[in-house]
Structures are given as C-alpha cells and as structure tokens.
Amino acid sequence: MGKVVAIGIDGPNTALFDDWMRQGLLPNLAKLEEQGFSGRYAHTKRFRNERCWDTFLGGRELAGTGSVFLPQRYDYYNESLQREGRYQPFYAFAGDKRVCIFDLPAAISPAVNGLQISGWGSELNAAAAMSRPETLIAEIIARHGADPKLKHVNTVRDAKTGEMETSYVLPSLYDLPALLDWRDRLKESVRRRCNISLDLLAREPWDLFLALFPEAHTANHMLWHLDQPHPLSPPSGPVGALLDVFREIDTAVGRILAALPDRRNVVVFSIDHTAVNNMDLPGMALLPELLYRWSFPGQQALAAGDASTAVAPALAGDLRHWKHQVWDLLTTHGNAVLASPERLEAEGSALSWNPAAWYQPRWPDMRAFALPSVADGFIRLNVKGRESHGLVEPEEFGATLDEVTALLERTRNPRTGAAIVKRVLRMRQSPAEQAEIAPDLVVCWDDRYPSDVLDSPELGRIGPLPYFRSGGHVSHGTPIENRFFACGPGVAPGRMADVGKLEDLPVTLLTLMGVRVPESLPGRSLLR
C-alpha cells in the first residue's frame, strides 16, 4: 500500500474503447492492461446521467434524481454536482494524507487535506471555476491557459444558489468545419489538462492524485457520427475525429505514467457510457409537444406535420445552434405562447437551449408536461393539492398515468414503423409518494434508431426535427460496464474473474492508499 495516482476517462463507449485497444490504437492503455491488473465494474443508470458521479464520489448509491421540481412555482432545475454538498467525497476519509483532486465534477470539500480544482474544463452543462485554495484556479489558468472549448459561452445562474456559471455552446452537427475545430479544441484541452496534471504531480508526492479526462465524453456527444453509423454520417465514410480525441488521451496518460516514480500505484478507469444518440429529440422536443397537444386538443406549437402523408426526408439543418433551428419550426400559435431561448437566456436559465423548457409558461394549464431532460423522458402530472394550479384530481392520478402511458405506447417512428417508446416506468403509485423524485413517469426510448419524427394516431405528426448531438446515453435501468486498469507495488498483475460495482472503485483507491475504509462505504476492493 502507498501512494496512488488515479486517472478517469469520462463517458467512452466500452465496446469501442476495447476494440481500439485490441487494434493497438491506444497503446499506452493497452500496455497498462497487459502488464498490470485489469477488470470491469458495472453500474445501472438511474435518472440523470450524472448520477454515476454521486455513486463514485459518495461511495454508495444515493437517493433522488439530481433534479428538483418546485410545485408551488412550477420551477425545475438540475442540481449542480459542484454545489450539492449532500455527502463527503470518499477521499475526505483519507484524514491527514495529502490529496490532490483535479477537475472532477465535484463540490470542493473543506475536509480534504490538499488541493482541489473543479470546473477548469467541465463536461457539465454549466459549471463554475473553483478551487481550494481559492487562488489556485486562477494560477493554473494563468500558467497553462483556460479550457479551449470555452470559445462560445453563455453566462447562466445556478437555480439553487444564484451564483453565476459558464455554459459552453456546442457547434451544429451540420457544420463539419466547426466540428473538426471542436475536435482540435478537445485535443488541445487534453494536452493542457495533461500539462496541468504534471504540474500538480510535481508539487509534492501526493498520497492520492485523482484527475479526470472529460473530453472523451464531450467528443462522443458531438463527433460520434463522424466515426460511427448515424443518419448524419458522411457519405464518404468515417473521418476519424472521435478516435483522434481518444488517441490524444492515450498519449496524455502515457506522458503522466512516464513521469511517475516506480513506487506509485496507478489506477486508470472509465466512468459513464455513451453510444449512438436515440434520446435527445424524443425527450427534449417530441415529448413536450406531444403532451402539449394532448393537454390542448387542436393546438400545435412545434413542428406540425401531416401523418397521412409520406414522412419528409430528414432536415438538412444549418450552421446555427440547434435551439435556433428548432425554434424556427414553431407554429404561429407556438411562437405566441412558448418562452423563447432568448428570453430564458436573459433570465439566466441553464436550460434555455432545451425545448422542453420553452413550454414552462404553459405547465400550470396542462394536465401533464415534460420536464427538461437530456436522455429519458420525464413526465409530471399537474395534480390538485400537489401543484399550486393542479388540474388532475388525486383520485384520478393512476388512471391519468395509464392514459398517458397508453398514448405514448401508440406512438410510432414513421421512418421505421416501430414503436418510438421502449417502456414507460411509473415512479409512484400516488401523488404524495417519493416527493424527492421529480417525474411521475420516466419514458425510455427505442434505442435501435435515432428518431427525428413521431406519429400519434390521436395527435398527428411531430417533426422532422434537426439532430442535436449524435452521441448519447443509455436508458434508465440499463446496466453499464466500465473498465479499470491498475499497476504498481500494491497491485498483483492479472485479470478479474467477475464484474465489480462502481461502489467498489472508491474503496479500491482508499485501500491502495492504506486508508481504513469506513463502514458507510459498502464496496470492496476490485483488487481482491
């Protein structure tokens, strides 16, 4: 047991990750797997994609969705991982041992003995640059530069604290030069992140140095179609942009490992998972419009189509941000009643780009509405006695959920003829149950084909819509396998015979450090 250097790679597709290593395209990671100890651990996605970070940082599964709905004000927001403070991170249990944390999506903990940086180059929708000591983040930016993807940003307000944060603007999937520039910015971000890591590692012999490469996650969201099958894939074949970013990360890992003394234990792990995106359009745009039409029969706010005709070709899209392309598809009625992204931006909303948020002014008058999400669909009923302007009688709660579920199950993707909904999950049996969970229903979408259009026998056609991100996440309840590799004096080479759990990863790091694992952490070392 002794000193530990841990490096996280955020959001890779595990199958691609493994394939690239087998092909020799990620030689430093492949060498680590070959010469050290390697294995897999599993985690089942629940609600927001970022919940895996709560499990990793807190060392255990935590209740709640990470999203808050305020029924008196019909207000909704996602809790910031940087500001939650609901638990001590596992590395706070290290006591007097010296710890350096670089750019995890985590709150700064006063219980940690060492240095902490968060928000230098976060993958989160909105983040704040912060550190302990407070002057450290400014010093790091002055010495190494800021995150290169912060070329176009919006300033937004954290809904819980009122503090200002930065939200970076994604390029259009239809703008190849901008996407290739995005790739180059991610690669430069990896290089700067590596230099910062080497700087911090050289400052003292940390008992735990823990850093993250979130560029893998961001690259999968925006570059997936340039390398993998998708309706927007270039007709000329793969460009290699996604692989370029991963090869840059592999090079950075190699540089860090080469700079370490032999006596260090090293753990490299992947966390979270991305794949082809089948969720953005259904969850962010098709679902809120479907519920709007259901609540207001005869009214259409967005992307009105004719389900009696052949489906139109996929939209060509343009070079503007996706939210502007979608806003242009509003009907005259929708333009008059929905909140524009410009209005929400002026209010400091971190969700101004998400079409589901545009319907918020109408939520008090709707029987059911879609809460903004970036994956599964979230549906909330407007219940008398629970919501301040409730319309659904509490005794009709179950029957209304059945009605909405049946409506969803009858929807189809007219491009394939298949159901667009894979399953609908009921979160509570009565309005008062599990108040900490925002949605009443969670909608899991068909994961076989990206859907840009929806047909409802009752409510007509919605779409086509332009695509937003080509890489996405998996549905609620889906088990995800991630990889980890370890080497060093406290690690015997070999391979795990079984699959561990995400909760085991923080216990593994504490055990390698020689720290007594508290009883509140249920995991066990992956190096068993």
Side-chain angles (χ1 to χ4, degrees):
M1 305 306 163
K3 300 183 185 301
V4 178
V5 172
I7 302 170
I9 301 174
D10 187 10
N13 179 280
T14 303
L16 272 181
F17 194 64
D18 286 350
D19 189 46
W20 286 334
M21 283 197 296
R22 283 193 298 268
Q23 294 180 51
L25 299 172
L26 306 176
N28 293 296
L29 292 167
K31 181 179 179 181
L32 187 60
E33 179 184 39
E34 178 184 347
Q35 297 183 351
F37 185 87
S38 65
R40 299 174 181 268
Y41 70 86
H43 181 249
T44 299
K45 182 199 159 184
R46 298 179 67 248
F47 302 107
R48 283 180 65 200
N49 306 310
E50 294 86 357
R51 291 302 92 190
C52 65
W53 283 107
D54 275 344
T55 303
F56 171 66
L57 293 166
R60 61 193 187 279
E61 284 280 4
L62 297 168
T65 65
S67 302
V68 176
F69 181 76
L70 303 175
Q72 296 304 309
R73 305 204 313 255
Y74 291 86
D75 198 8
Y76 176 82
Y77 62 89
N78 293 324
E79 292 180 294
S80 168
L81 289 174
Q82 292 185 290
R83 305 183 192 278
E84 279 188 298
R86 292 191 295 141
Y87 53 82
Q88 287 284 16
F90 73 88
Y91 41 81
F93 295 111
D96 292 335
K97 290 185 178 290
R98 294 288 287 168
V99 173
C100 182
I101 305 299
F102 176 41
D103 221 22
L104 270 66
I108 300 296
S109 171
V112 174
N113 179 27
L115 303 180
Q116 298 170 78
I117 295 173
S118 179
W120 175 83
S122 178
E123 189 277 328
L124 299 176
N125 174 47
M130 55 181 66
S131 64
R132 186 179 178 93
E134 291 184 5
T135 56
L136 178 60
I137 185 69
E139 174 199 335
I140 289 296
I141 292 174
R143 180 176 298 181
H144 299 283
D147 174 16
K149 73 174 179 288
L150 300 180
K151 179 180 180 181
H152 302 293
V153 299
N154 290 325
T155 301
V156 300
R157 189 180 303 278
D158 180 74
K160 189 174 183 178
T161 67
E163 297 174 89
M164 303 310 294
E165 299 182 337
T166 297
S167 178
Y168 58 88
V169 179
L170 295 172
S172 168
L173 285 190
Y174 302 87
D175 189 346
L176 181 58
L179 289 172
L180 295 179
D181 177 69
W182 186 254
R183 173 204 59 191
D184 293 342
R185 289 177 180 280
L186 291 176
K187 290 173 65 178
E188 177 61 23
S189 178
V190 170
R191 289 190 285 269
R192 292 185 189 181
R193 187 178 299 278
C194 179
N195 291 336
I196 295 170
S197 296
L198 292 172
D199 177 348
L200 296 171
L201 279 164
R203 297 192 180 198
E204 65 175 271
W206 304 103
D207 293 294
L208 173 65
F209 176 84
L210 175 56
L212 178 70
F213 284 94
E215 290 82 7
H217 192 143
T218 313
N220 270 23
H221 274 316
M222 299 308 298
L223 306 177
W224 179 272
H225 66 291
L226 297 183
D227 285 20
Q228 301 299 316
H230 185 276
L232 293 185
S233 294
S236 57
V239 174
L242 182 59
L243 176 58
D244 285 346
V245 176
F246 276 84
R247 296 189 74 170
E248 196 71 54
I249 293 172
D250 181 77
T251 298
V253 171
R255 288 181 61 202
I256 292 171
L257 297 184
L260 297 177
D262 292 339
R263 64 181 181 274
R264 301 284 175 93
N265 293 301
V266 174
V267 175
V268 176
F269 62 94
S270 65
I271 186 167
D272 203 352
H273 179 87
T274 46
V276 65
N277 194 335
N278 302 299
M279 298 182 169
D280 277 0
L281 302 190
M284 293 188 215
L286 299 176
L287 179 63
E289 175 61 16
L290 183 74
L291 295 177
Y292 185 83
R293 295 184 188 185
W294 180 73
S295 293
F296 304 111
Q299 294 186 7
Q300 298 179 335
L302 173 66
D306 185 353
S308 66
T309 64
V311 63
L315 294 185
D318 59 44
L319 307 187
R320 297 172 300 159
H321 189 277
W322 180 72
K323 63 189 176 189
H324 300 303
Q325 298 180 49
V326 176
W327 183 261
D328 280 354
L329 300 177
L330 260 63
T331 65
T332 302
H333 168 75
N335 221 306
V337 298
L338 303 189
S340 70
E342 288 78 13
R343 168 182 158 184
L344 295 176
E345 284 175 15
E347 295 171 357
S349 170
L351 294 169
S352 63
W353 52 271
N354 191 317
W358 305 346
Y359 292 78
Q360 189 169 353
R362 301 307 311 272
W363 290 354
D365 303 315
M366 297 172 64
R367 293 173 63 205
F369 45 87
L371 299 171
S373 72
V374 294
D376 306 303
F378 287 176
I379 297 177
R380 178 99 179 181
L381 297 194
N382 193 10
V383 181
K384 287 184 178 180
R386 187 180 70 173
E387 277 73 26
S388 58
H389 295 79
L391 300 175
V392 176
E393 298 289 346
E395 59 269 23
E396 296 175 355
F397 182 77
T400 306
L401 291 182
D402 290 340
E403 185 179 352
V404 173
T405 299
L407 173 74
L408 290 163
E409 290 174 342
R410 290 191 292 271
T411 58
R412 290 291 183 271
N413 179 348
R415 298 202 187 281
T416 64
I420 198 170
V421 173
K422 181 165 63 175
R423 62 183 181 273
V424 180
L425 307 174
R426 187 170 297 197
M427 294 295 105
R428 53 178 67 87
Q429 300 303 315
S430 71
E433 290 178 3
Q434 300 191 80
E436 74 280 1
I437 295 178
D440 295 315
L441 295 175
V442 171
V443 185
C444 300
W445 307 104
D446 175 28
D447 53 12
R448 294 168 296 178
Y449 188 86
S451 302
D452 64 332
V453 59
L454 174 152
D455 277 2
S456 165
E458 299 91 346
L459 302 173
R461 175 168 294 166
I462 307 170
L465 297 167
Y467 290 103
F468 177 35
R469 303 179 300 179
S470 56
H473 292 273
V474 297
S475 298
H476 182 103
T478 301
I480 300 165
E481 280 196 7
N482 287 101
R483 300 299 313 276
F484 80 94
F485 317 103
C487 67
V491 180
R495 294 179 184 272
M496 276 183 65
D498 55 359
V499 176
K501 300 184 297 183
L502 176 54
E503 297 93 315
D504 297 336
L505 194 53
V507 171
T508 303
L509 299 179
L510 290 175
T511 302
L512 272 178
M513 293 169 65
V515 173
R516 180 180 176 274
V517 178
E519 293 182 1
S520 60
L521 302 188
R524 56 178 182 165
S525 175
L526 292 166
L527 303 177
R528 55 187 183 273

mmCIF file of all heavy atoms in Angstrom, residues 378-403:
data_model
loop_
_atom_site.group_PDB
_atom_site.id
_atom_site.type_symbol
_atom_site.label_atom_id
_atom_site.label_comp_id
_atom_site.label_asym_id
_atom_site.label_seq_id
_atom_site.Cartn_x
_atom_site.Cartn_y
_atom_site.Cartn_z
ATOM 1 N N PHE A 378 -39.033 12.712 -19.009
ATOM 2 C CA PHE A 378 -39.574 12.898 -17.662
ATOM 3 C C PHE A 378 -40.950 13.551 -17.782
ATOM 4 O O PHE A 378 -41.076 14.627 -18.383
ATOM 5 C CB PHE A 378 -38.674 13.804 -16.822
ATOM 6 C CG PHE A 378 -37.381 13.168 -16.359
ATOM 7 C CD1 PHE A 378 -36.450 13.931 -15.664
ATOM 8 C CD2 PHE A 378 -37.102 11.844 -16.601
ATOM 9 C CE1 PHE A 378 -35.262 13.371 -15.233
ATOM 10 C CE2 PHE A 378 -35.921 11.261 -16.170
ATOM 11 C CZ PHE A 378 -35.002 12.037 -15.483
ATOM 12 N N ILE A 379 -41.977 12.925 -17.201
ATOM 13 C CA ILE A 379 -43.343 13.458 -17.258
ATOM 14 C C ILE A 379 -43.847 13.706 -15.848
ATOM 15 O O ILE A 379 -43.732 12.852 -14.963
ATOM 16 C CB ILE A 379 -44.293 12.482 -17.990
ATOM 17 C CG1 ILE A 379 -43.848 12.302 -19.436
ATOM 18 C CG2 ILE A 379 -45.733 12.986 -17.926
ATOM 19 C CD1 ILE A 379 -44.685 11.298 -20.207
ATOM 20 N N ARG A 380 -44.447 14.859 -15.663
ATOM 21 C CA ARG A 380 -45.046 15.239 -14.380
ATOM 22 C C ARG A 380 -46.519 15.548 -14.615
ATOM 23 O O ARG A 380 -46.878 16.286 -15.543
ATOM 24 C CB ARG A 380 -44.346 16.486 -13.831
ATOM 25 C CG ARG A 380 -44.894 17.029 -12.525
ATOM 26 C CD ARG A 380 -44.102 16.597 -11.364
ATOM 27 N NE ARG A 380 -44.625 17.132 -10.099
ATOM 28 C CZ ARG A 380 -44.080 16.915 -8.913
ATOM 29 N NH1 ARG A 380 -42.982 16.160 -8.824
ATOM 30 N NH2 ARG A 380 -44.597 17.422 -7.824
ATOM 31 N N LEU A 381 -47.400 14.966 -13.784
ATOM 32 C CA LEU A 381 -48.810 15.331 -13.831
ATOM 33 C C LEU A 381 -49.033 16.592 -13.012
ATOM 34 O O LEU A 381 -48.335 16.854 -12.033
ATOM 35 C CB LEU A 381 -49.690 14.205 -13.285
ATOM 36 C CG LEU A 381 -49.700 12.861 -14.018
ATOM 37 C CD1 LEU A 381 -50.886 12.020 -13.528
ATOM 38 C CD2 LEU A 381 -49.754 13.029 -15.515
ATOM 39 N N ASN A 382 -50.033 17.350 -13.391
ATOM 40 C CA ASN A 382 -50.400 18.592 -12.711
ATOM 41 C C ASN A 382 -51.565 18.262 -11.772
ATOM 42 O O ASN A 382 -52.730 18.303 -12.163
ATOM 43 C CB ASN A 382 -50.803 19.637 -13.760
ATOM 44 C CG ASN A 382 -50.898 21.025 -13.194
ATOM 45 O OD1 ASN A 382 -50.505 21.284 -12.062
ATOM 46 N ND2 ASN A 382 -51.442 21.940 -13.981
ATOM 47 N N VAL A 383 -51.242 17.933 -10.516
ATOM 48 C CA VAL A 383 -52.196 17.318 -9.590
ATOM 49 C C VAL A 383 -52.725 18.347 -8.590
ATOM 50 O O VAL A 383 -51.949 19.105 -7.995
ATOM 51 C CB VAL A 383 -51.538 16.146 -8.835
ATOM 52 C CG1 VAL A 383 -52.539 15.488 -7.894
ATOM 53 C CG2 VAL A 383 -50.989 15.123 -9.825
ATOM 54 N N LYS A 384 -54.026 18.360 -8.412
ATOM 55 C CA LYS A 384 -54.638 19.239 -7.411
ATOM 56 C C LYS A 384 -54.109 18.883 -6.017
ATOM 57 O O LYS A 384 -54.036 17.710 -5.653
ATOM 58 C CB LYS A 384 -56.156 19.092 -7.437
ATOM 59 C CG LYS A 384 -56.826 19.725 -8.643
ATOM 60 C CD LYS A 384 -58.334 19.618 -8.541
ATOM 61 C CE LYS A 384 -59.021 20.295 -9.730
ATOM 62 N NZ LYS A 384 -60.495 20.195 -9.652
ATOM 63 N N GLY A 385 -53.753 19.921 -5.258
ATOM 64 C CA GLY A 385 -53.252 19.715 -3.912
ATOM 65 C C GLY A 385 -51.758 19.465 -3.848
ATOM 66 O O GLY A 385 -51.164 19.611 -2.780
ATOM 67 N N ARG A 386 -51.167 19.102 -4.964
ATOM 68 C CA ARG A 386 -49.706 18.938 -5.019
ATOM 69 C C ARG A 386 -49.089 20.105 -5.768
ATOM 70 O O ARG A 386 -48.177 20.761 -5.268
ATOM 71 C CB ARG A 386 -49.329 17.614 -5.684
ATOM 72 C CG ARG A 386 -47.843 17.292 -5.623
ATOM 73 C CD ARG A 386 -47.497 15.969 -6.290
ATOM 74 N NE ARG A 386 -47.634 16.002 -7.748
ATOM 75 C CZ ARG A 386 -47.252 15.012 -8.562
ATOM 76 N NH1 ARG A 386 -46.732 13.906 -8.041
ATOM 77 N NH2 ARG A 386 -47.402 15.119 -9.872
ATOM 78 N N GLU A 387 -49.551 20.367 -6.975
ATOM 79 C CA GLU A 387 -49.157 21.551 -7.732
ATOM 80 C C GLU A 387 -50.110 22.696 -7.404
ATOM 81 O O GLU A 387 -51.299 22.472 -7.141
ATOM 82 C CB GLU A 387 -49.181 21.252 -9.231
ATOM 83 C CG GLU A 387 -47.930 20.564 -9.749
ATOM 84 C CD GLU A 387 -47.825 19.103 -9.343
ATOM 85 O OE1 GLU A 387 -48.870 18.469 -9.105
ATOM 86 O OE2 GLU A 387 -46.711 18.583 -9.261
ATOM 87 N N SER A 388 -49.589 23.920 -7.412
ATOM 88 C CA SER A 388 -50.392 25.064 -6.979
ATOM 89 C C SER A 388 -51.582 25.340 -7.892
ATOM 90 O O SER A 388 -52.569 25.939 -7.457
ATOM 91 C CB SER A 388 -49.513 26.314 -6.875
ATOM 92 O OG SER A 388 -48.897 26.599 -8.118
ATOM 93 N N HIS A 389 -51.510 24.943 -9.179
ATOM 94 C CA HIS A 389 -52.623 25.125 -10.106
ATOM 95 C C HIS A 389 -53.055 23.769 -10.671
ATOM 96 O O HIS A 389 -53.327 23.636 -11.867
ATOM 97 C CB HIS A 389 -52.248 26.071 -11.251
ATOM 98 C CG HIS A 389 -51.971 27.474 -10.815
ATOM 99 N ND1 HIS A 389 -50.775 27.861 -10.246
ATOM 100 C CD2 HIS A 389 -52.738 28.601 -10.848
ATOM 101 C CE1 HIS A 389 -50.817 29.148 -9.960
ATOM 102 N NE2 HIS A 389 -51.998 29.620 -10.313
ATOM 103 N N GLY A 390 -53.095 22.761 -9.805
ATOM 104 C CA GLY A 390 -53.362 21.402 -10.240
ATOM 105 C C GLY A 390 -54.693 21.241 -10.961
ATOM 106 O O GLY A 390 -55.693 21.891 -10.626
ATOM 107 N N LEU A 391 -54.695 20.359 -11.956
ATOM 108 C CA LEU A 391 -55.897 20.078 -12.749
ATOM 109 C C LEU A 391 -56.376 18.641 -12.592
ATOM 110 O O LEU A 391 -57.554 18.359 -12.786
ATOM 111 C CB LEU A 391 -55.611 20.359 -14.234
ATOM 112 C CG LEU A 391 -55.204 21.786 -14.604
ATOM 113 C CD1 LEU A 391 -54.833 21.857 -16.082
ATOM 114 C CD2 LEU A 391 -56.333 22.763 -14.289
ATOM 115 N N VAL A 392 -55.482 17.730 -12.279
ATOM 116 C CA VAL A 392 -55.826 16.313 -12.166
ATOM 117 C C VAL A 392 -56.217 16.010 -10.725
ATOM 118 O O VAL A 392 -55.459 16.298 -9.793
ATOM 119 C CB VAL A 392 -54.640 15.429 -12.594
ATOM 120 C CG1 VAL A 392 -54.960 13.947 -12.393
ATOM 121 C CG2 VAL A 392 -54.259 15.704 -14.040
ATOM 122 N N GLU A 393 -57.405 15.439 -10.543
ATOM 123 C CA GLU A 393 -57.842 15.058 -9.199
ATOM 124 C C GLU A 393 -56.929 13.950 -8.657
ATOM 125 O O GLU A 393 -56.538 13.043 -9.396
ATOM 126 C CB GLU A 393 -59.281 14.559 -9.222
ATOM 127 C CG GLU A 393 -60.307 15.586 -9.671
ATOM 128 C CD GLU A 393 -60.516 16.690 -8.636
ATOM 129 O OE1 GLU A 393 -60.072 16.507 -7.476
ATOM 130 O OE2 GLU A 393 -61.121 17.719 -8.984
ATOM 131 N N PRO A 394 -56.582 14.014 -7.362
ATOM 132 C CA PRO A 394 -55.693 12.984 -6.805
ATOM 133 C C PRO A 394 -56.212 11.565 -7.023
ATOM 134 O O PRO A 394 -55.415 10.652 -7.281
ATOM 135 C CB PRO A 394 -55.633 13.339 -5.327
ATOM 136 C CG PRO A 394 -55.911 14.812 -5.267
ATOM 137 C CD PRO A 394 -56.895 15.069 -6.378
ATOM 138 N N GLU A 395 -57.524 11.379 -6.948
ATOM 139 C CA GLU A 395 -58.067 10.034 -7.145
ATOM 140 C C GLU A 395 -58.004 9.587 -8.604
ATOM 141 O O GLU A 395 -58.183 8.403 -8.903
ATOM 142 C CB GLU A 395 -59.510 9.956 -6.638
ATOM 143 C CG GLU A 395 -60.470 10.911 -7.285
ATOM 144 C CD GLU A 395 -60.580 12.246 -6.560
ATOM 145 O OE1 GLU A 395 -59.625 12.608 -5.820
ATOM 146 O OE2 GLU A 395 -61.621 12.914 -6.722
ATOM 147 N N GLU A 396 -57.717 10.532 -9.508
ATOM 148 C CA GLU A 396 -57.568 10.187 -10.932
ATOM 149 C C GLU A 396 -56.104 10.029 -11.341
ATOM 150 O O GLU A 396 -55.795 9.857 -12.519
ATOM 151 C CB GLU A 396 -58.218 11.282 -11.792
ATOM 152 C CG GLU A 396 -59.727 11.411 -11.593
ATOM 153 C CD GLU A 396 -60.314 12.580 -12.367
ATOM 154 O OE1 GLU A 396 -59.517 13.337 -12.978
ATOM 155 O OE2 GLU A 396 -61.538 12.736 -12.354
ATOM 156 N N PHE A 397 -55.213 10.071 -10.350
ATOM 157 C CA PHE A 397 -53.778 10.036 -10.634
ATOM 158 C C PHE A 397 -53.397 8.772 -11.404
ATOM 159 O O PHE A 397 -52.785 8.834 -12.473
ATOM 160 C CB PHE A 397 -53.000 10.118 -9.322
ATOM 161 C CG PHE A 397 -51.507 10.145 -9.472
ATOM 162 C CD1 PHE A 397 -50.841 11.290 -9.864
ATOM 163 C CD2 PHE A 397 -50.753 9.000 -9.195
ATOM 164 C CE1 PHE A 397 -49.463 11.324 -9.988
ATOM 165 C CE2 PHE A 397 -49.374 9.025 -9.310
ATOM 166 C CZ PHE A 397 -48.724 10.177 -9.707
ATOM 167 N N GLY A 398 -53.749 7.616 -10.889
ATOM 168 C CA GLY A 398 -53.391 6.362 -11.536
ATOM 169 C C GLY A 398 -53.997 6.226 -12.914
ATOM 170 O O GLY A 398 -53.329 5.803 -13.864
ATOM 171 N N ALA A 399 -55.276 6.576 -13.040
ATOM 172 C CA ALA A 399 -55.948 6.455 -14.335
ATOM 173 C C ALA A 399 -55.333 7.406 -15.361
ATOM 174 O O ALA A 399 -55.218 7.062 -16.549
ATOM 175 C CB ALA A 399 -57.433 6.742 -14.176
ATOM 176 N N THR A 400 -54.906 8.598 -14.917
ATOM 177 C CA THR A 400 -54.287 9.547 -15.839
ATOM 178 C C THR A 400 -52.916 9.064 -16.287
ATOM 179 O O THR A 400 -52.541 9.201 -17.464
ATOM 180 C CB THR A 400 -54.179 10.939 -15.191
ATOM 181 O OG1 THR A 400 -55.472 11.348 -14.719
ATOM 182 C CG2 THR A 400 -53.678 11.970 -16.190
ATOM 183 N N LEU A 401 -52.161 8.470 -15.361
ATOM 184 C CA LEU A 401 -50.885 7.881 -15.757
ATOM 185 C C LEU A 401 -51.102 6.764 -16.779
ATOM 186 O O LEU A 401 -50.337 6.636 -17.749
ATOM 187 C CB LEU A 401 -50.151 7.327 -14.539
ATOM 188 C CG LEU A 401 -49.610 8.339 -13.524
ATOM 189 C CD1 LEU A 401 -48.873 7.613 -12.400
ATOM 190 C CD2 LEU A 401 -48.684 9.354 -14.180
ATOM 191 N N ASP A 402 -52.151 5.970 -16.573
ATOM 192 C CA ASP A 402 -52.467 4.915 -17.549
ATOM 193 C C ASP A 402 -52.793 5.514 -18.915
ATOM 194 O O ASP A 402 -52.377 4.991 -19.955
ATOM 195 C CB ASP A 402 -53.655 4.081 -17.056
ATOM 196 C CG ASP A 402 -53.320 3.215 -15.860
ATOM 197 O OD1 ASP A 402 -52.123 2.953 -15.633
ATOM 198 O OD2 ASP A 402 -54.261 2.783 -15.160
ATOM 199 N N GLU A 403 -53.548 6.611 -18.908
ATOM 200 C CA GLU A 403 -53.939 7.252 -20.158
ATOM 201 C C GLU A 403 -52.719 7.797 -20.899
ATOM 202 O O GLU A 403 -52.588 7.611 -22.125
ATOM 203 C CB GLU A 403 -54.927 8.386 -19.860
ATOM 204 C CG GLU A 403 -55.493 9.049 -21.103
ATOM 205 C CD GLU A 403 -56.485 10.167 -20.761
ATOM 206 O OE1 GLU A 403 -56.840 10.303 -19.570
ATOM 207 O OE2 GLU A 403 -56.865 10.899 -21.687
#
